């Protein structure tokens, strides 16, 4: 069994910073792409940033220059540093990872439970 556990959400004023972290654990053979998505009330879940095991990072246009995604492959963790936060960044943030469990030849998509980020104006 594979689990993704997130931490780091909370309430912050506009212009402030938060750092989200996500750790993958369990029956893991390899971890491919990791990323963060968010879902605001009444809206669809959207990509925030993704980071492959190697290669180019990808950010939503709305967060470019403000958010930074990083990962620690040795610890199977991914983090999202969020600076210059805006009220429109308010959402539940979800960690996602494409993981190959032991005993499988293909990857499966796993999601964390979500962490609330609220930015007050």
């Amino acid at each position: 069994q594979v689990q993704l556990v997130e931490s780091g959400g909370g309430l912050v004023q506009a212009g402030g910073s938060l750092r989200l972290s996500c750790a993958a654990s369990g029956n893991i053979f390899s971890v491919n792409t990791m990323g963060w998505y968010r879902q605001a009330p009444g809206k669809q879940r959207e990509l925030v940033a993704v980071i492959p095991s190697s290669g180019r990072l990808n950010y939503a246009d709305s967060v470019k220059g403000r958010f930074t995604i990083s990962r620690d492959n040795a610890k199977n963790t991914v983090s999202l540093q969020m600076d210059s936060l805006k009220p429109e960044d308010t959402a539940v943030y979800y960690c996602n990872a494409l993981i190959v469990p032991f005993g499988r030849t293909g990857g499966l998509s796993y999601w964390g439970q979500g962490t609330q980020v609220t930015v007050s104006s």
Side-chain angles (χ1 to χ4, degrees), residues 2 9 23 30 33 43 67-68 75 83 88 91 94 106-107 117-118 121:
V2 174
S30 66
T33 299
K43 295 187 177 181
F67 291 10
T68 303
K75 297 180 179 179
D83 299 318
E88 51 263 43
Y94 296 91
V117 171
T118 302
S121 58

Side-chain angles (χ1 to χ4, degrees), residues 39-63:
Q39 188 167 17
K43 295 187 177 181
Q44 290 188 332
R45 191 173 297 188
E46 63 176 3
L47 179 149
V48 176
V50 292
I51 180 169
S53 53
S54 62
R56 187 174 178 179
L57 310 183
N58 188 28
Y59 292 94
D61 288 343
S62 59
V63 306

Side-chain angles (χ1 to χ4, degrees), residues 2-62:
V2 174
Q3 283 188 318
L4 298 183
V5 178
E6 299 141 343
S7 61
L11 173 65
V12 65
Q13 288 188 331
S17 298
L18 283 174
R19 185 177 180 86
L20 305 182
S21 295
C22 172
S25 63
N27 185 38
I28 297 172
F29 174 72
S30 66
V31 181
N32 297 329
T33 299
M34 303 185 82
W36 292 92
Y37 292 72
R38 68 186 181 186
Q39 188 167 17
K43 295 187 177 181
Q44 290 188 332
R45 191 173 297 188
E46 63 176 3
L47 179 149
V48 176
V50 292
I51 180 169
S53 53
S54 62
R56 187 174 178 179
L57 310 183
N58 188 28
Y59 292 94
D61 288 343
S62 59

